[in-house]
Amino acid sequence: MRDARTKWNDKYRLREGDTRVDPFLIDNAHQLNRGSALDLACGLGQNSFYLADKGWKVTSVDISDEAVRTIRDRAREERSRVTPLQIDLEDPGLDYTQSLGRFDNLLIFNYKPNDALWQVLPTLLHPGGVLMYCTFNTKHHRHCGFPERFCLLTGEHTSPPSALELLYYEDIFQDDQYRDGYVFRRLEVVQSGDGHLGPLEQSGDG
């Protein structure tokens, strides 16, 4: 069985990845903060370049060396403010904050973070930072057989972790795909179990 890195290198070498800017990003870009953005599991970087063209400074992360090389070549050719990094986001030894830093915005499209990554996502955002997350839900699995382990339950994150505030949710059917789309904001303070407000852990700028 091929490992994930080899699988995606082969796919992107053949240019089989989706190169369209995600419609959920286009429709909701107005909810993002200006400044920096981190695009996780970015593929060939179409969403990264869309934001860079509109003034954001973007760091693009993918497991695939081939994707990173393609993004680096395009960024150089277009003189775009996109910086690609090859990182395995499911490496159990990865220190996410140390490896990636903190950003004004975080994008995740068509990728389901594992539990460890989901729990630390708020630490990759500055206080007030925006997380935009859109990926397949279980209706897509039933519709076309897409692997269920890569799907969210419909509405799974409408009650987010205490560090995040849900700004927007959409149950989507578009282009023959069923997906869940979310926009969250990282809170500067969180409410504890006793009802008191306290500072969010690890809320410094890093």
Side-chain angles (χ1 to χ4, degrees):
M1 182 177 178
R2 295 182 301 167
D3 62 26
R5 189 173 180 178
T6 301
K7 167 192 165 183
W8 288 107
N9 277 338
D10 290 347
K11 188 178 184 73
Y12 292 134
R13 191 173 293 114
L14 296 172
R15 296 297 188 271
E16 292 181 346
D18 192 350
T19 59
R20 299 172 302 166
V21 178
D22 197 286
F24 190 79
L25 173 59
I26 295 172
D27 291 345
N28 293 282
H30 64 279
Q31 300 200 62
L32 297 173
N33 297 322
R34 303 303 299 182
S36 61
L38 175 64
D39 186 4
L40 294 182
C42 65
L44 294 173
Q46 61 275 12
N47 296 322
S48 298
F49 285 100
Y50 174 80
L51 287 185
D53 289 346
K54 295 181 178 301
W56 275 268
K57 181 179 181 181
V58 185
T59 299
S60 309
V61 173
D62 201 87
I63 192 173
S64 167
D65 313 86
E66 187 69 25
V68 167
R69 183 190 64 77
T70 300
I71 293 169
R72 183 177 294 117
D73 290 348
R74 179 177 170 182
R76 184 182 300 114
E77 180 180 338
E78 297 180 5
R79 298 182 179 179
S80 182
R81 294 205 306 169
V82 175
T83 301
L85 298 175
Q86 190 280 318
I87 294 176
D88 180 357
L89 294 170
E90 299 186 6
D91 178 354
L94 180 64
D95 183 328
Y96 295 100
T97 306
Q98 182 68 31
S99 299
L100 298 169
R102 288 188 175 88
F103 298 82
D104 300 308
N105 305 279
L106 174 55
L107 309 180
I108 304 174
F109 287 93
N110 296 342
Y111 171 72
K112 181 184 177 183
N114 61 26
D115 290 343
L117 177 54
W118 175 251
Q119 292 301 318
V120 302
L121 288 179
T123 70
L124 301 178
L125 288 166
H126 294 302
V130 171
L131 165 60
M132 185 175 291
Y133 179 25
C134 186
T135 197
F136 305 106
N137 61 33
T138 50
K139 287 189 286 189
H140 193 61
H141 162 70
R142 294 192 294 272
H143 175 63
C144 68
F146 185 80
E148 189 172 11
R149 69 184 183 277
F150 299 134
C151 296
L152 297 173
L153 298 174
T154 302
E156 179 172 341
H157 293 307
T158 51
S159 297
S162 59
L164 295 174
E165 173 190 12
L166 179 62
L167 301 179
Y168 180 72
Y169 166 69
E170 185 177 357
D171 179 4
I172 303 164
F173 179 67
Q174 187 176 42
D175 298 330
D176 207 35
Q177 297 178 339
Y178 290 91
R179 300 192 300 165
D180 267 19
Y182 297 88
V183 181
F184 303 97
R185 178 186 292 119
R186 177 181 165 172
L187 299 174
E188 298 192 32
V189 293
V190 295
Q191 187 158 351
S192 64
D194 60 8
H196 292 88
L197 293 178
L200 182 62
E201 291 183 6
Q202 302 181 9
S203 62
D205 289 348

